[in-house]
Amino acid sequence: MPLCTQLPASGEPYLLVASLDNARHLSSLLRAVHFQDHATCFASTNGLRVTVEDAKCIQANAFIQAEIFQEFTVQEESVTFRINLSVLLDCLTIFGTGSLPGTSTALRMCYRGYGYPLMLFLEEGGVVTVCKINTQEPDELLDFDFCSTKVVNKIILQSEGLREAFAELDMTSEVLQITMSPDKPYFRLSTFGNAGSAHLDYPKDSDLMEAFHCNQTQTNR
């Protein structure tokens, strides 16, 4: 594909160059963490991590391994910049969110360094669009590096099943209460809405559970 084999003309080297045959894969992943307008991007030889944070208490990370890209080159140990995630998603879907059978939107991202914009080269059906998105000084992010020896309870769930559970919750409730316990109810989601209290219980041997390690009963809202 021409877009993925030709480096954009420049008098200076790019610190980051990444190419994808289908930009919609990237946009789908980024939409999952798009609960704030801005995101911080970290590029290393391992891949690209996009972090979104809200009020220093909620953090979401999307990590795209270097092997996913058709080309992924980082000239420094790490490259970091902040970007408007809403604008980035608009650019990635500039040809629309769907595509005709047998077609896809090829993407090439280039970043020259501090103070320079992130350049996107998108090609679909022979039409090439160039987008330049201003980058910003990255914010200091919280380090959610929990010590494994101090973890009281740990549950890993299948995301598809958990999404179905969330769809059944009473949205008139101001809070979602999560209970984890080594005994019944094991894993419980509770809401307290206009129609009263509602509880969704899942046993530890449920098909939804990938891992269940609980040492004591714990309830959080």
Side-chain angles (χ1 to χ4, degrees):
M1 190 173 293
L3 186 63
C4 296
T5 57
Q6 296 179 7
L7 186 69
S10 171
E12 300 181 35
Y14 288 96
L15 297 184
L16 169 66
V17 176
S19 299
L20 274 174
D21 284 344
N22 194 337
R24 291 182 177 88
H25 295 329
L26 179 60
S27 62
S28 297
L29 186 61
L30 295 182
R31 273 196 296 270
V33 297
H34 182 214
F35 59 86
Q36 289 290 311
D37 285 338
H38 290 84
T40 302
C41 300
F42 303 87
S44 67
T45 55
N46 295 322
L48 179 66
R49 177 163 61 94
V50 180
T51 300
V52 180
E53 196 172 270
D54 182 22
K56 298 296 182 182
C57 65
I58 301 174
Q59 187 180 98
N61 292 279
F63 181 68
I64 308 98
Q65 293 179 323
E67 293 78 11
I68 301 296
F69 295 91
Q70 280 65 56
E71 178 190 1
F72 191 82
T73 304
V74 181
Q75 300 295 338
E76 296 183 350
E77 183 176 350
S78 65
V79 176
T80 306
F81 56 89
R82 187 170 183 259
I83 198 166
N84 189 307
L85 186 56
S86 300
V87 173
L88 176 58
L89 285 169
D90 287 341
C91 292
L92 291 175
T93 56
I94 198 166
F95 289 106
T97 56
S99 61
L100 297 174
T103 65
S104 60
T105 302
L107 166 69
R108 189 174 186 84
M109 292 191 300
C110 301
Y111 177 62
R112 194 173 296 172
Y114 183 82
Y116 287 94
L118 177 68
M119 299 183 65
L120 305 180
F121 299 81
L122 299 116
E123 184 268 335
E124 181 174 313
V127 178
V128 177
T129 298
V130 181
C131 303
K132 296 182 179 181
I133 307 174
N134 289 334
T135 57
Q136 304 168 5
E137 181 80 27
D139 291 334
E140 183 177 352
L141 300 174
L142 287 178
D143 183 8
F144 286 94
D145 185 17
F146 298 112
C147 179
S148 59
T149 59
K150 297 181 180 180
V151 174
V152 176
N153 298 321
K154 180 179 179 180
I155 296 177
I156 300 177
L157 305 162
Q158 292 185 10
S159 59
E160 187 69 24
L162 191 60
R163 184 180 68 175
E164 294 175 0
F166 284 167
E168 298 178 16
L169 297 176
D170 184 356
M171 300 308 294
T172 64
S173 177
E174 292 185 357
V175 298
L176 169 65
Q177 181 172 287
I178 301 174
T179 300
M180 294 178 285
S181 174
D183 304 305
K184 288 184 178 181
Y186 300 113
F187 180 70
R188 167 177 285 183
L189 301 175
S190 303
T191 54
F192 311 91
N194 297 335
S197 302
H199 306 286
L200 291 174
D201 293 346
Y202 296 90
K204 61 181 179 180
D205 57 355
S206 167
D207 292 338
L208 183 67
M209 299 287 179
E210 292 290 338
F212 184 90
H213 305 287
C214 286
N215 299 311
Q216 67 185 53
T217 300
Q218 185 179 32
T219 300
N220 300 96
R221 287 188 172 191

